[in-house]
Amino acid sequence: QSALTQPPSASGSPGQSVTISCTGTSSDVGGYNYVSWYQQHPGKAPKLMIFDVSKRPSGVPDRFSGSRSGNTASLTVSGLLAEDEAYYYCSSYAGTNWVFGGGTKLTVL
Amino acid sequence: QVHLVESGGGVVQPGRSLRLSCAASGFTFSRNAMHWVRQAPGQGLEWVAVIRHDGTNEQYADSVKGRFTIFRDNSKNTLYLQMSSLKDEDTAVYYCAKDLSGSYTVDYWGQGILVTVSS
């Protein structure tokens, strides 16, 4: 039950795009189509942004997109807004359990 | 609108027990699997446990297996987490979370409840 690997930080200027990676193994990210991404603002509960690798829940802007290549999933945020500054966590189903990444702090410069 | 409200947190001494509750509303509780996820102070998210919609099967993280028990009462729309033999490292905000039907994904989260294990 090892955690997924994310970069601790990422940044971009308003209007730019930024991509956050999430690396796992063939037993989690690469083995199931159940990769999700969460946004968490300080002191708040996480919010689902992407599920099933690339699907967006209703209400999530299409500026947020997900993809996967092999054992690495990615979240891309396009047209950065100040409100996008938050922590982002990836997660994957792993057969009998779920694993999360360590989180990436996204800073909007 | 999905609403999940945790209760039962607080300060507890190492080795003692504590039970968390989560009152659910806004969806048909008996149709969804439910999770507990925790977050230690200043740290990332850690999945703790899941229970099937009908309560017939549970899974646990290795870090809590044998000490924590997840269970539910569908007649009361309530999820529980019984925590025993608590350790300092169990200190965290505990979130109750709903599973998305048709996908192995946590979609909605409660606001969380703080559990502090300290002597």
Side-chain angles (χ1 to χ4, degrees), chain A residues 1 34 38 40 45 52 96 98, chain B residues 39 59 61-62 103-104 106 110:
Chain A
Q1 298 186 350
Y34 300 120
Y38 301 90
Q40 186 180 36
D52 291 358
T96 57
W98 281 254
Chain B
Q39 186 169 33
Q59 301 290 341
D62 288 345
S103 174
Y104 291 91
V106 170

Side-chain angles (χ1 to χ4, degrees), chain A residues 22-99:
Chain A
C22 169
T23 301
T25 70
S26 58
S27 296
D28 39 61
V29 173
Y32 300 92
N33 294 325
Y34 300 120
V35 177
S36 53
W37 289 89
Y38 301 90
Q39 177 191 67
Q40 186 180 36
H41 288 106
K44 301 294 186 181
K47 174 186 176 183
L48 179 66
M49 305 302 284
I50 296 288
F51 69 100
D52 291 358
V53 178
S54 60
K55 297 178 181 177
R56 263 178 293 117
S58 63
V60 172
D62 60 6
R63 302 185 295 104
F64 292 85
S65 61
S67 63
R68 180 185 58 188
S69 177
N71 297 334
T72 298
S74 298
L75 172 72
T76 297
V77 186
S78 305
L80 275 172
L81 300 175
E83 66 205 50
D84 298 332
E85 183 162 298
Y87 282 89
Y88 290 84
Y89 294 91
C90 62
S91 178
S92 176
Y93 176 61
T96 57
N97 59 289
W98 281 254
V99 287

Side-chain angles (χ1 to χ4, degrees), chain B residues 95-112:
Chain B
Y95 293 100
C96 163
K98 170 185 165 291
D99 194 81
L100 176 62
S101 294
S103 174
Y104 291 91
T105 299
V106 170
D107 58 353
Y108 286 97
W109 304 63
Q111 283 305 299

Side-chain angles (χ1 to χ4, degrees), chain B residues 35-73:
Chain B
H35 302 256
W36 287 99
V37 180
R38 68 184 181 184
Q39 186 169 33
Q43 302 301 309
L45 301 169
E46 180 188 15
W47 176 80
V48 173
V50 65
I51 186 168
R52 276 175 54 100
H53 66 96
D54 57 5
T56 57
N57 184 264
E58 315 98 58
Q59 301 290 341
Y60 299 92
D62 288 345
S63 58
V64 306
K65 198 171 296 183
R67 299 188 300 121
F68 288 13
T69 301
I70 185 173
F71 61 105
R72 63 193 295 163
D73 186 337

